[in-house]
């Protein structure tokens, strides 16, 4: 650590080094750099990839795609899973299937990864940002209710934003870092206003809400299998739905809208080449077989972090919300507001010590392309952005106390 970092102390005695020591206490001293979230390949990955390559079915069709979709259905309890090329594609397709059209608005949290907001823009719609909850780090149902009460009106066209004249076509909560949002409350608000609910479950495979897998109760939900997710296909995603017709439409829309035929190339609408390659699905099948072990390892790591920070002044560990089981995709700590100005000092100290810590994403309304988007009060999201730090969270990390 640099002399400058070593000397940083607030009037209350807050030191970045104290946080570094707590992380060391939890996971030891890294040999090199301990990444934020790295994949684990400890099962049938090589065997399935070899099988896929030998079959020559490495592209957009093949038995591993079908197997991967069936495994997702079994694991989540959703009636239909449709594998696609990445989580952003899954979200884009979900919004299209939910009826989001050019000129609409979609309500989403300001504290989210940009994929959520980009997918809205791909539809020609405008994101409309609402605040987050300290308890879940995701969309706050109270803030959602207040915002709709202030600007929304039911009309023959649907629910309209009186201030912009645009239809509010969907609400899209995101399970931040794997912590489920208050789904029942948000779903009830969406139902009362007649607005479609699209669940962004990209980060939360393996998480549960009131005993059910997130995404399993939704009309439409999206998963991600990027290289940094709890299960990876290299790059990939999936659409989950309990509506059989929507499942059929999802498959059709993401397969270039091609009509089935032995040889003819006939497409009946503008579709998307969003199909997951069989090669990626082979990797995903091997990964899904290990999901229970990944979840157990990540929960042990989260419990160790929580113990390590239990008595560290000026900081708290972000634990799973009530009535949920989090996959703890990324473990997070929150500095007290009094120490928020030291966030980057702490990030510097952690990274200099070999811990690949990162801040929360820049809030969406701060990005130039979404700066003019409508938004409600975002004071909680802005506070979280100032104070949150993600810690190394790979399933391969072994806590020191094991």
């Amino acid at each position: 650590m640099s002399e400058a970092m070593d000397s940083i102390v607030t009037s209350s005695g807050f030191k970045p080094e104290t946080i570094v020591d707590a992380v060391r206490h939890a996971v030891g001293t890294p040999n090199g750099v301990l990444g934020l979230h790295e994949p684990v390949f400890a099962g049938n990955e090589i065997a399935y990839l070899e099988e896929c390559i030998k079959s020559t079915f490495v592209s957009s069709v093949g038995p591993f795609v079908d197997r991967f979709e069936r495994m997702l259905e079994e694991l989540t309890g959703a009636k239909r899973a449709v594998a696609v090329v990445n989580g952003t594609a899954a979200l884009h397709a979900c919004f299209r299937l939910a009826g989001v059209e050019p000129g609409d608005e979609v309500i989403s949290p300001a504290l989210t990864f940009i994929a959520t907001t980009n997918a809205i823009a791909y539809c020609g719609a405008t994101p409309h940002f609402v605040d987050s909850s300290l308890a879940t780090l995701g969309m706050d149902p109270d803030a959602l209710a207040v915002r709709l009460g202030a600007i929304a009106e039911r009309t023959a066209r649907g629910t309209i934003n009186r201030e912009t004249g645009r239809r509010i076509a969907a609400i899209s909560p995101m399970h931040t870092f794997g912590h489920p949002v208050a789904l029942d409350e948000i779903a009830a608000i969406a139902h009362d206003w007649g607005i479609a609910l699209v669940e962004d479950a990209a980060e939360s495979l393996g998480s549960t809400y009131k005993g059910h897998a997130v995404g399993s109760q939704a009309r439409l939900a999206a998963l991600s299998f990027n290289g940094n997710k709890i299960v990876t296909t290299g790059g990939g995603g999936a659409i989950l739905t309990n509506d059989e017709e929507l499942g059929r439409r999802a498959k059709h829309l993401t397969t270039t809208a091609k009509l089935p035929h032995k040889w003819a190339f006939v497409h009946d609408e503008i579709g998307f080449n969003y199909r997951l390659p069989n090669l990626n699905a082979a990797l995903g099948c091997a990964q899904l077989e290990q999901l229970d072990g990944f979840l157990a390892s990540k929960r042990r790591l989260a419990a160790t972090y929580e113990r390590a920070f239990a008595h560290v002044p000026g900081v708290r560990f972000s634990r799973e919300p009530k009535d949920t089981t989090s996959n703890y995709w990324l473990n997070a700590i929150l500095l007290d507001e009094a120490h928020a100005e030291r966030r980057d000092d702490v990030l510097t100290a952690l990274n200099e010590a070999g811990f690949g810590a990162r801040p929360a994403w820049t809030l969406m309304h701060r990005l130039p392309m979404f700066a003019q988007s409508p938004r409600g009060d975002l004071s909680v999201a802005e506070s979280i952005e100032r104070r949150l730090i993600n810690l190394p969270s790979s399933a391969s990390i072994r806590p020191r106390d094991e």
Side-chain angles (χ1 to χ4, degrees):
M1 175 175 296
S2 67
E3 290 183 8
M5 285 305 310
D6 193 41
S7 66
I8 291 172
V9 181
T10 67
S11 59
S12 61
F14 177 81
K15 295 182 180 180
E17 181 63 29
T18 304
I19 294 176
V20 175
D21 288 343
V23 176
R24 283 200 187 103
H25 181 77
V27 300
T29 300
N31 181 17
V33 176
L34 196 60
L36 184 66
H37 199 287
E38 299 169 346
V40 177
F41 302 119
N44 290 314
E45 287 90 349
I46 292 175
Y48 289 173
L49 287 170
E50 286 183 347
E51 180 182 340
C52 182
I53 290 168
K54 288 177 181 178
S55 76
T56 74
F57 286 94
V58 297
S59 191
S60 56
V61 295
F64 281 110
V65 175
D66 297 334
R67 187 193 304 185
F68 186 61
E69 290 176 341
R70 301 296 84 74
M71 291 177 76
L72 286 173
E73 291 163 2
E74 183 176 351
L75 284 166
T76 65
K79 289 183 179 179
R80 286 293 304 273
V82 177
V84 293
V85 71
N86 55 52
T88 309
L91 279 166
H92 181 205
C94 282
F95 289 134
R96 285 291 302 268
L97 292 163
V100 177
E101 298 177 350
D104 286 340
E105 289 182 9
V106 175
I107 296 180
S108 67
L111 178 66
T112 187
F113 182 58
I114 197 169
T116 313
T117 318
N118 279 343
I120 295 168
Y122 295 165
C123 296
T126 299
H128 186 143
F129 302 121
V130 295
D131 211 356
S132 296
S133 160
L134 273 175
T136 68
L137 303 179
M139 183 181 287
D140 184 343
D142 292 335
L144 174 64
V146 168
R147 184 61 179 163
L148 286 170
I151 57 92
E153 179 181 354
R154 295 291 297 269
T155 74
R157 291 174 52 210
T159 298
I160 303 300
N161 180 344
R162 289 193 303 268
E163 296 179 350
T164 65
R166 291 189 288 255
R167 182 176 72 112
I168 302 174
I171 296 170
S172 187
M174 193 270 287
H175 305 296
T176 311
F177 309 135
H179 290 347
V181 298
L183 275 172
D184 283 354
E185 290 88 341
I186 293 171
I189 294 167
H191 179 268
D192 289 346
W193 282 98
I195 302 172
L197 184 67
V198 174
E199 198 174 322
D200 183 349
E203 302 173 359
S204 53
L205 181 68
S207 298
T208 67
Y209 175 78
K210 295 186 176 180
H212 298 285
V214 295
S216 67
Q217 306 299 298
R219 190 161 181 259
L220 286 163
L223 297 173
S224 172
F225 307 107
N226 189 34
N228 65 350
K229 296 299 190 292
I230 190 168
V231 159
T232 184
T233 58
I239 301 157
L240 301 180
T241 182
N242 286 313
D243 185 311
E244 292 288 354
E245 176 57 21
L246 274 180
R248 186 199 66 77
R249 283 275 302 131
K251 193 71 169 179
H252 184 64
L253 190 67
T254 59
T255 313
T256 67
K258 182 180 180 295
L259 296 175
H261 194 278
K262 286 184 178 181
W263 61 79
F265 292 91
V266 180
H267 308 260
D268 63 353
E269 63 178 309
I270 295 175
F272 303 94
N273 190 7
Y274 282 171
R275 299 167 292 183
L276 184 71
N278 199 46
L279 197 64
N280 297 81
L283 183 65
C285 289
Q287 287 273 288
L288 286 179
E289 290 173 350
Q290 302 168 79
L291 178 59
D292 286 347
F294 294 163
L295 290 168
S297 294
K298 290 175 71 62
R299 289 186 64 79
R300 286 194 297 270
L301 178 61
T304 301
Y305 276 136
E306 186 171 9
R307 289 192 295 271
F309 283 99
H311 303 293
V312 176
V315 62
R316 73 172 180 85
F317 180 76
S318 178
R319 66 188 313 274
E320 62 194 2
K322 181 182 177 183
D323 297 326
T324 76
T325 301
S326 177
N327 69 3
Y328 284 104
W329 172 54
L330 292 184
N331 292 288
I333 56 173
L334 283 161
L335 306 181
D336 288 353
E337 189 64 58
H339 308 309
E341 64 184 25
R342 298 297 187 187
R343 186 203 68 175
D344 286 358
D345 299 330
V346 174
L347 284 165
T348 299
L350 286 166
N351 280 275
E352 286 185 356
F355 300 107
R358 295 291 183 270
W361 312 284
T362 300
L363 297 183
M364 293 297 101
H365 70 290
R366 301 195 196 281
L367 302 177
M369 53 282 199
F370 302 122
Q372 302 306 314
S373 296
R375 60 182 182 267
D377 174 70
L378 301 175
S379 55
V380 175
E382 289 168 348
S383 174
I384 293 170
E385 179 194 33
R386 287 193 299 270
R387 302 187 288 130
L388 186 137
I389 294 171
N390 287 127
L391 303 175
S393 301
S394 307
S396 59
I397 298 174
R398 294 291 175 261
R400 287 184 64 191
D401 57 8
E402 280 194 354

